[in-house]
Amino acid sequence: MCGIVGYVGDRNAYEILIKGLHRLEYRGYDSAGVAIVSPSGRINVYKSRGKVSNLEHYCKDKDTAGSTGIAHTRWATHGEPSDRNAHPHYSEDEEIALVHNGTIENYKVLKDALIQNGCKFQSETDTEVLVQLIEYIRTNNDCSLVEAVKEALRQVVGAYAIAVIEKGHPDTIIAARKSSPLVIGIGEGEMFLASDATPIVEYTKDVVYVKDNEIAIVSKNEPLKLVNLNNEETSIDVKTLEFSISQLEKGGYPHFMLKEIFEQPTTLRDCIRGRVVEGGKNIIVSGVLDSKDKFLNAKRIIIVACGTSWHASLIGKYLIQDMCRIPVEVEYASEFRYSNPVLDERDVVIAVSQSGETADTLAAIQMAREAGAYVYGISNVVGSSIPRNTDSGTYIHVGPEIGVASTKAFTGQVMVLTLLAMAIADLRGTMSKEELDKIGAEIIRIPDYVKQTLELNEQIERLSLIFTYAHNFLYLGRGYSYPVALEGALKLKEISYIHAEGYPAAEMKHGPIALIDAEMPTVIIAPNDHLYEKIVNNVQQVKARHGSVIAIVTEGDKEIKNIADYVIEVPDVPECLTPIITSVPLQLLSYYIAINKGKNVDMPRNLAKSVTVE
Ligand code: G6P
């Protein structure tokens, strides 16, 4: 939700900032802007509604010289997307400029007080309140920028990652965070800052993840300094980035989404590397070993997540209940945190989050920890907030996911949940060695099965042409395939804007069946599992209403092949591994339908990849 970038050094700041904004565009793309301290001593601010490319176009004939600057790509919360509401925001006297990711909850009270003191506002944003407040404190108390930022943040309620520049001190950026991510890159005679490390990795691998309530003094010639709101210096923990710039490029694919779909054989191999050993006879999930007693004694597991991660979590429920015989609940983090949940120290709460930054998921686990529950995290982004706020956890290691519609992170999450369930089952003795070994051996083959599934690409592309102009889609599945149906429907609506609903196949009779007619395609996920015969009935129920059926079936399927209009055959795998395989054709189907409709699949309207606001 909004991306911020900053640079201080000797290079041309504008180029670094624009490149950085492109890398962060997945976080929001309503509007964008830059503020650069020009050699003449003023701060030039340029902003434009729309994507970063609009801003670039707008800046073509502008003076963008300068080697210190901040920039922003916005996902609107307060105030519509417009040039005026875009960041950076100036203080009234144009002495300072600020970018912000997050929300200032008490902005109204602060704004009213500032207006009473004669302050004039240019925008409808909560952010402008912060910059005006900082300037008000700075001029009235005659203090330094960092002192004014500190005092302003003491008055602010909400979430923020901010970066502020000052006309009078062109070689320094003041940055701060609370509940919104902020990373600082340390170079030689230059420093970078950003909402995540993707704009930084090209220049340096040495980064510092700023913690909540810390203020960073980011200078060209001075070492990085971190202080808290009480003015105490805090320690600096430099980490080394483990991904490379090539992982952030499209690598010959037209879109990140397609690249990420096709990367899945590799990402799944990375995800299981070192975790499935001895030919599948040994499953090592280090996080589980660290939390042995907790998983041995857990009376209940609650999984909290949002969006696609919630769908992966639902598969996790089926896996853990089946394999470990522990009751599992899956909650939307946004509901869980306000539901007054009953928790104690024998509950294990698992947070699943690709970004590791989703505000609701983060708040849910903070609450669970306060209530005494043990918290385990499953994330992709190393060093992000959720893994830093859990008792233990596991990374999915699928590399940076840039496409807003999650694909490789979903299959990585399901894979880690599978390994987690197997490791806990082994600990608790709820599955025999033989059963575990059999699944372990198949897991090693999963990257190849996914590769084989991707060979259906052309068939699915052709199929997509038939359904591009459907107005509604229904996705049905049972058991492990029910969350796959939910995820398939979400993928389609996210990027093609076609209304799609995922439903448990049998529940169709209690409502959605009324919608079925010759105009409405139904996608049925029907691998050869223990519910196969039941879902055959559901296919027949749709066909009896003249609905058109696209079925995802296991290779060699006999029955559904004769009833459905179109079948997509995927490799035969054990039931618990089917979601990883059956979700792949659904990713491709939604991708091609959206492409046929001319939609921007990597940046669908109104969405953002990382939702760091409530
Ligand atoms: C946004 C993204 C989704 C993602 C969800 C949860 O809605 O567009 O792709 O599934 O947030 O994000 P997380 O990073 O917590 O998995």
Side-chain angles (χ1 to χ4, degrees), residues 306-309 352-356 358 361 404 406 413 494 608-609 611:
C306 303
T308 287
S309 300
V352 181
S353 171
Q354 185 286 128
S355 63
T358 300
T361 312
V404 166
S406 183
Q413 289 166 339
E494 276 183 313
K609 187 143 191 75
V611 181

Side-chain angles (χ1 to χ4, degrees), residues 1 26 304-311 351-362 378-381 386 401 403-407 409-410 413 487 490-491 494 604 607-612:
M1 256 354 40
Y26 72 86
V304 292
C306 303
T308 287
S309 300
W310 189 85
H311 296 154
V352 181
S353 171
Q354 185 286 128
S355 63
E357 297 293 349
T358 300
D360 283 318
T361 312
L362 187 57
I378 297 178
S379 297
N380 188 31
V381 180
I386 290 172
E401 189 179 64
V404 166
S406 183
T407 52
F410 173 75
Q413 289 166 339
E487 176 58 12
L490 176 65
K491 279 301 76 100
E494 276 183 313
L607 294 179
K609 187 143 191 75
S610 182
V611 181
T612 53

Side-chain angles (χ1 to χ4, degrees), residues 292-318:
K292 213 170 159 179
D293 291 346
K294 294 292 173 184
F295 282 113
L296 262 178
N297 300 319
K299 74 170 193 312
R300 175 175 68 153
I301 290 178
I302 303 167
I303 315 183
V304 292
C306 303
T308 287
S309 300
W310 189 85
H311 296 154
S313 303
L314 212 50
I315 296 168
K317 169 183 167 144
Y318 286 76

Side-chain angles (χ1 to χ4, degrees), residues 282-547:
N282 198 358
I283 307 290
I284 304 167
V285 181
S286 52
V288 175
L289 297 177
D290 302 341
S291 340
K292 213 170 159 179
D293 291 346
K294 294 292 173 184
F295 282 113
L296 262 178
N297 300 319
K299 74 170 193 312
R300 175 175 68 153
I301 290 178
I302 303 167
I303 315 183
V304 292
C306 303
T308 287
S309 300
W310 189 85
H311 296 154
S313 303
L314 212 50
I315 296 168
K317 169 183 167 144
Y318 286 76
L319 288 161
I320 297 171
Q321 282 193 175
D322 257 3
M323 295 186 183
C324 318
R325 310 305 299 138
I326 307 174
V328 182
E329 291 165 22
V330 181
E331 300 267 1
Y332 287 113
S334 54
E335 287 298 317
F336 175 78
R337 62 183 289 203
Y338 294 116
S339 66
N340 197 11
V342 181
L343 291 161
D344 66 36
E345 61 288 346
R346 285 195 58 204
D347 285 317
V348 174
V349 172
I350 301 178
V352 181
S353 171
Q354 185 286 128
S355 63
E357 297 293 349
T358 300
D360 283 318
T361 312
L362 187 57
I365 60 169
Q366 279 160 344
M367 200 183 87
R369 281 183 95 184
E370 277 159 28
Y374 186 78
V375 176
Y376 191 92
I378 297 178
S379 297
N380 188 31
V381 180
V382 177
S384 55
S385 300
I386 290 172
R388 285 194 282 117
N389 282 280
T390 49
D391 295 301
S392 178
T394 308
Y395 286 111
I396 61 173
H397 288 314
V398 300
E401 189 179 64
I402 314 290
V404 166
S406 183
T407 52
K408 64 174 181 172
F410 173 75
T411 49
Q413 289 166 339
V414 177
M415 180 56 91
V416 163
L417 284 160
T418 311
L419 302 181
L420 182 69
M422 291 172 76
I424 303 171
D426 194 23
L427 261 186
R428 294 172 67 112
T430 45
M431 275 175 89
S432 70
K433 191 82 193 91
E434 292 69 41
E435 287 172 306
L436 284 169
D437 289 356
K438 221 164 127 192
I439 299 171
E442 284 296 294
I443 286 181
I444 294 174
R445 296 192 193 107
I446 282 287
D448 291 330
Y449 290 140
V450 170
K451 197 164 170 218
Q452 198 182 321
T453 309
L454 288 166
E455 285 165 15
L456 297 165
N457 184 43
E458 281 171 23
Q459 183 199 344
I460 296 170
E461 189 176 1
R462 281 195 302 276
L463 188 63
S464 73
L465 293 168
I466 304 170
F467 295 103
T468 298
Y469 297 101
H471 293 295
N472 294 291
F473 262 82
L474 186 61
Y475 284 70
L476 301 177
R478 303 182 79 122
Y480 282 103
S481 299
Y482 158 51
V484 176
L486 294 179
E487 176 58 12
L490 176 65
K491 279 301 76 100
L492 185 72
K493 68 185 140 199
E494 276 183 313
I495 59 172
S496 70
Y497 318 142
I498 295 174
H499 171 251
E501 253 188 280
Y503 239 76
E507 276 293 305
M508 167 189 68
K509 298 189 290 297
H510 303 288
I513 200 162
L515 301 171
I516 291 170
D517 60 18
E519 304 295 306
M520 173 140 163
T522 301
V523 179
I524 303 193
I525 299 104
N528 184 14
D529 59 20
H530 80 287
L531 294 167
Y532 180 77
E533 287 306 328
K534 307 265 176 215
I535 206 150
V536 171
N537 291 337
N538 302 129
V539 178
Q540 261 150 350
Q541 286 154 3
V542 176
K543 284 311 301 169
R545 272 105 196 144
H546 309 292

